[in-house]
Amino acid sequence: MPETRLDLDRIRAARRVIDPMFLDTPLFRCEALGRALGCAVSIKLETANPVRSFKARGTELVASGLSDQGRTAAVCASAGNLGWALGWSGRRRGLDVTVVASRRAPAAKLDRIRALGVALEVVDGDFEMARQRAVDIAQRRGIRLVEDSLDIETCEGAATIGLELAQRASSFDAVLIALGGGAMATGVGYALKALAPGVEVICVQPQGAPAMTRSWRRRQVVTTDSADTIADGVAGRYPIPAVLDDLLKVADDAVLVQEASIVTGMRMLLEHAGLVVEPSAALGVAAVLEDPDRFAGRNLVTIICGSNVNLDDYHRWVRPSAVHGR
């Protein structure tokens, strides 16, 4: 078992804390998508829940812990999905949640956070500016700062996906995981390496936001001056050293994909699986599109991690002319 910050006993115990509606999500073979990609593809669907992403697996642990400690408030920076999930989990437990987001975040995500009734502060700049504002709020008010990927609950909550995949590990030989801050990649990767070590763990990130992948390749933190990708959920610029240390122990590979491949992946998931997804959720399909020989004839799982997307943007991206100028 790899030596990381994560713990298998805690991950198993997390299933007793997370609301069952977020657990045991569908895993199914999508034959039409597999035929189009030249391999067997199974989909792990993490979007059929009230927050339309996997993030609540982690925020359920965070909110439960705060409630048990008698704490009443928390703040987080979010590109959208974490904030919605924390607001949902916190509201159920009577917590006062504040979310800080960049003005660049998709409007649909911000609207859904507001609809929960939690406090939303929108700042100029990118996610890193939002994160600094969240730090300031936490320090000023003396409340819990929830940091995705750094807070072990977010990783171990995501790791429950890995527990579920491990039960079916005989049916696939690789899993494709969207890579941003690293909570899902380290969590799922850890559970699989502990319980199904023969499964290849492949992380996928956009070329326009390559910080964590570059860091994984160089085995040291590499930051970037900017991030330019439609996959806002994975557009961080400053990898967290402790998370990178974990990722180095559980990931077999980390690859970068082009924006055009992400868009094509979104369209293929709509056409062949009937799924409307946000760009981050199409990264696994994009990886197969860009390296078909590597995956030909293999049995893959791709995790559909989120479906929170502005419909106007989505329609613009997936129309046929959006790729390669057609």
Side-chain angles (χ1 to χ4, degrees):
M1 187 179 300
E3 292 291 331
T4 71
R5 297 177 301 142
L6 289 81
D7 179 83
L8 194 59
D9 289 337
R10 288 200 307 262
I11 295 165
R12 287 175 168 144
R15 286 182 54 87
R16 299 192 293 271
V17 176
I18 299 168
D19 191 302
M21 72 175 68
F22 299 109
L23 298 173
D24 301 314
T25 53
L27 174 64
F28 60 93
R29 179 73 59 86
C30 184
E31 294 184 0
L33 182 60
R35 285 194 296 270
L37 291 174
C39 53
V41 180
S42 293
I43 285 171
K44 181 64 167 167
L45 188 63
E46 292 294 312
T47 61
N49 62 59
V51 300
R52 306 184 195 177
S53 80
F54 78 97
K55 294 289 189 181
R57 290 183 184 249
T59 60
E60 284 286 278
L61 298 184
V62 171
S64 177
L66 287 171
S67 181
D68 290 346
Q69 297 162 15
R71 302 181 70 174
T72 60
V75 59
C76 74
S78 175
N81 287 349
L82 177 70
W84 191 8
L86 183 61
W88 193 92
S89 296
R91 186 177 65 175
R92 292 180 63 230
R93 295 168 176 84
L95 301 178
D96 175 14
V97 172
T98 300
V99 177
V100 185
S102 165
R103 202 172 303 280
R104 303 173 188 173
K109 294 183 179 183
L110 300 184
D111 289 343
R112 288 162 188 157
I113 293 170
R114 290 188 185 96
L116 282 173
V118 303
L120 174 65
E121 182 171 330
V122 180
V123 301
D124 293 324
D126 62 8
F127 173 80
E128 301 303 335
M129 298 295 291
R131 180 186 175 279
Q132 186 53 58
R133 177 58 181 160
V135 170
D136 294 342
I137 291 172
Q139 292 175 344
R140 187 181 75 249
R141 294 176 54 189
I143 62 176
R144 167 73 181 270
L145 172 66
V146 179
E147 295 195 77
D148 201 15
S149 304
L150 178 60
D151 287 357
I152 198 64
E153 301 99 322
T154 63
C155 302
E156 292 182 341
T160 60
I161 301 171
L163 292 183
E164 294 163 19
L165 289 174
Q167 294 176 349
R168 303 268 297 275
S170 62
S171 65
F172 59 92
D173 53 64
V175 60
L176 298 160
I177 310 172
L179 178 62
M184 183 166 63
T186 58
V188 173
Y190 175 83
L192 288 175
K193 290 307 173 189
L195 300 172
V199 173
E200 187 178 15
V201 175
I202 304 170
C203 305
V204 190
Q205 196 166 41
Q207 288 186 350
M212 185 62 95
T213 295
R214 289 181 181 174
S215 299
W216 184 87
R217 291 175 177 175
R218 298 185 190 179
R219 305 188 70 84
Q220 63 182 31
V221 170
V222 176
T223 62
T224 60
D225 293 332
S226 62
D228 183 15
T229 177
I230 62 172
D232 58 279
V234 294
R237 299 191 287 116
Y238 295 97
I240 299 168
V243 182
L244 174 61
D245 288 344
D246 291 342
L247 189 68
L248 287 168
K249 295 169 183 173
V250 303
D252 295 300
D253 199 3
V255 301
L256 297 172
V257 296
Q258 300 176 23
E259 297 294 291
S261 299
I262 299 172
V263 171
T264 301
M266 294 170 69
R267 182 183 303 114
M268 293 181 74
L269 284 163
L270 176 64
E271 293 177 350
H272 300 300
L275 296 174
V276 174
V277 304
E278 61 188 79
S280 299
L283 288 169
V285 175
V288 181
L289 287 168
E290 293 200 3
D291 198 355
D293 291 342
R294 175 180 182 175
F295 298 106
R298 296 186 65 180
N299 295 291
L300 311 176
V301 169
T302 185
I303 301 175
I304 304 301
C305 55
S307 62
N308 293 307
V309 59
N310 285 335
L311 287 180
D312 287 345
D313 290 337
Y314 181 83
H315 291 309
R316 185 176 71 254
W317 292 329
V318 302
R319 70 178 189 271
S321 61
V323 180
H324 303 308
R326 295 182 305 198

